[in-house]
Amino acid sequence: FGAALCVGGGLLRASLLAAAATLPVQAADLLTAVNDALRTNPAYQATLDAYGSAQQALPIARSRYYPQISIAGSYDYIDESVEGDYFGVRNIDAQDGFPRYTYGAFLRQAVFSGDLLFNASQAEQRTLRAKFLSDVAEDRLIVTVCDAYFAVLAAQEKLRIAQARLRALSTLAEQVSGRADAGLALEAELKAAQASQQLAIVTVAESRNAVEGAYIDLEALTGQRYPNLLALRTDAELLPPTPADEAAWTTRAKLNNPAILAQQMDLAAASIEAEKSRYKRYPKVDVVGSYTKLDNEGGVSGQRTEEEARIGVTASLPLFTGGLVSAEIALAESEKKRAASELAAITAKAVRDTRVAYFGTTLGKQKMTALQQALDASLASEQANRAGYESGTRTNAELLAAVEQRYTAEFTLSSARYQFLSDTLH
């Protein structure tokens, strides 16, 4: 139930460790595969980078609470020529080239602005959302790697069973061939045995390809090629989910699912944006100050130095924006409704997935018990039919059917065990 129930990967990691405990020799290969994927998978690394970027939103928002101070300076060389009247001086004709230096410091301190009231809180929500999204990505990657790991083991088990089935059918084909040569078996029986043998050869080849394909899928996730993977112990006890209470799991899914938490943060940020947009109709007030100095080293007006210091307050109030503010308010309200609808959809999906997983694992435990009994019965049936075939009371077709049933039951049980492990993590 990792994808539905974990908080920041915590419960999912616990589920992973519980699953790993059923593997031999400390389950090093499974944990190694997961850690390799978390360290190198580019899609997961992208979510971590996105979280790192989102963490800068809060200090950026807070920076606007503080005075904004800057300095500036300029240098100009001026070639000036004046003819005619100049500031009351008539018939002037002068020319001069000179440098001019200007420099100063400037200050702006926001006093009241709608952005200041909401930006920091909104940045906190978006940072938390990015964190929860990285948790979602981590959980999904862990589950995907576990599925891929178990898929390799299941494919290897299928190959082992297919090879054992081929050996059994090859032996049976040889026995029927010998009986046919002795006139104790019909040609049809021989053809049926040989056909089963040829089909078993095809199944082995397909199983080998399936193993290679499963390895490729795992390698794509982890960036590593593992020559050997530790298999599930045949005596491993696979336990159903605890507590055995559907309501408890769905409640935890609603409270702890990182996808739900991320969407809750999205809704909170959208709600803040809706409130902030209404403040765009309010005035903005800033304290502004400056100090400038001019060093004029010539020109018609003469050499001079000027200094100026200012401090004051500026205020602005939008009167007409062509409908911009109204449209932004309507957009923010629509985004808020969108976020609320997505939260309801994600919550419903998490509850549904949790319920399906809960019943799936509960049924999976019962299914494995039944499949084990079916395998025991098919083994007994094969032995009985083999003994009857050797004594002449059972036909080759009956023995062939018993052999097929035995290996089908064995493969079905093996697949169910790995599927149960995979289901416990979803």
Side-chain angles (χ1 to χ4, degrees):
F1 303 104
L5 304 178
C6 69
V7 183
L11 289 181
L12 182 52
R13 287 186 180 275
S15 298
L16 172 61
L17 291 173
T22 65
L23 299 174
V25 197
Q26 301 179 349
D29 280 346
L30 176 59
L31 296 178
T32 297
V34 169
N35 289 328
D36 285 343
L38 292 175
R39 188 181 68 255
T40 63
N41 186 269
Y44 174 62
Q45 293 302 316
T47 64
L48 294 182
D49 294 337
Y51 174 47
S53 299
Q55 287 179 298
Q56 303 309 312
L58 185 57
I60 290 173
R62 286 174 175 169
S63 68
R64 294 192 58 195
Y65 289 117
Y66 300 102
Q68 308 298 303
I69 302 173
S70 61
I71 59 173
S74 65
Y75 163 80
D76 302 288
Y77 183 82
I78 301 173
D79 188 2
E80 186 177 39
S81 177
V82 178
E83 295 181 7
D85 297 344
Y86 184 80
F87 288 100
V89 179
R90 301 178 63 83
N91 300 322
I92 189 172
D93 184 1
Q95 183 174 354
D96 192 11
F98 61 94
R100 181 167 63 192
Y101 305 90
T102 306
Y103 45 90
F106 307 89
L107 174 145
R108 179 177 291 271
Q109 171 65 63
V111 176
F112 177 82
S113 173
D115 291 349
L116 290 180
L117 297 176
F118 300 101
N119 280 355
S121 178
Q122 192 175 45
E124 289 178 352
Q125 305 305 318
R126 288 174 174 168
T127 300
L128 286 173
R129 178 177 182 270
K131 172 62 171 66
F132 289 131
L133 287 178
S134 71
D135 291 341
V136 171
E138 178 181 310
D139 292 349
R140 288 175 179 171
L141 180 59
I142 291 175
V143 169
T144 303
V145 171
C146 289
D147 284 346
Y149 184 97
F150 295 143
V152 173
L153 298 184
Q156 290 176 333
E157 186 69 6
K158 181 178 179 180
L159 175 59
R160 183 193 66 78
I161 295 172
Q163 290 171 333
R165 173 173 170 264
L166 174 59
R167 289 193 296 270
L169 292 176
S170 295
T171 300
L172 182 57
E174 291 176 1
Q175 291 175 346
V176 174
S177 177
R179 285 174 170 262
D181 291 341
L184 300 176
L186 299 175
E187 182 69 15
E189 292 180 308
L190 176 59
K191 294 299 183 183
Q194 290 174 339
S196 295
Q197 180 186 20
Q198 292 303 313
L199 291 174
I201 292 174
V202 174
T203 301
V204 169
E206 290 175 342
S207 299
R208 285 199 178 96
N209 288 338
V211 170
E212 183 61 26
Y215 262 117
I216 291 173
D217 290 340
L218 181 60
E219 183 179 355
L221 292 168
T222 64
Q224 303 291 330
R225 177 73 178 193
Y226 306 104
N228 294 297
L229 295 180
L230 299 178
L232 180 68
R233 293 198 308 261
T234 56
D235 62 344
E237 183 180 4
L238 303 181
L239 300 176
T242 55
D245 182 1
E246 176 196 353
W249 289 105
T250 54
T251 299
R252 293 178 67 179
K254 293 178 183 179
L255 296 176
N256 299 330
N257 185 307
I260 293 178
L261 296 176
Q263 190 57 38
Q264 287 175 344
M265 297 303 101
D266 186 39
L267 175 58
S271 299
I272 293 172
E273 183 64 29
E275 184 69 18
K276 184 172 70 173
S277 65
R278 288 190 280 272
Y279 274 77
K280 292 182 179 181
R281 291 173 171 164
Y282 287 57
K284 292 184 178 181
V285 181
D286 294 330
V287 172
V288 294
S290 65
Y291 168 80
T292 57
K293 184 173 182 178
L294 171 68
D295 187 358
N296 200 71
E297 296 193 356
V300 175
S301 61
Q303 183 176 355
R304 71 186 188 280
T305 300
E306 297 179 9
E307 293 188 40
E308 182 181 87
R310 294 186 181 187
I311 187 72
V313 177
T314 65
S316 63
L317 177 66
L319 296 180
F320 177 73
T321 61
L324 174 63
V325 173
S326 297
E328 289 179 339
I329 292 174
L331 174 62
E333 288 293 337
S334 296
E335 283 295 301
K336 179 180 176 180
K337 292 179 181 178
R338 184 271 311 161
S341 297
E342 289 187 0
L343 175 60
I346 290 173
T347 302
K349 183 179 184 303
V351 171
R352 174 194 171 279
D353 290 348
T354 300
R355 294 183 65 192
V356 169
Y358 177 83
F359 288 115
T361 52
T362 302
L363 176 62
K365 183 63 176 177
Q366 300 171 355
K367 181 179 178 182
M368 284 188 295
T369 300
L371 288 174
Q372 182 62 60
Q373 294 174 351
L375 175 59
D376 295 341
S378 65
L379 286 170
S381 174
E382 180 191 4
Q383 293 172 357
N385 276 276
R386 191 175 297 279
Y389 177 73
E390 292 173 355
S391 64
T393 60
R394 290 288 188 271
T395 66
N396 172 67
E398 290 174 315
L399 176 57
L400 186 61
V403 171
E404 293 285 8
Q405 185 181 44
R406 173 264 177 98
Y407 284 107
T408 298
E410 187 173 350
F411 170 69
T412 304
L413 175 59
S414 174
S415 298
R417 286 163 62 82
Y418 286 111
Q419 186 61 49
F420 178 86
L421 273 178
S422 181
D423 287 344
T424 60
L425 295 176
H426 284 268

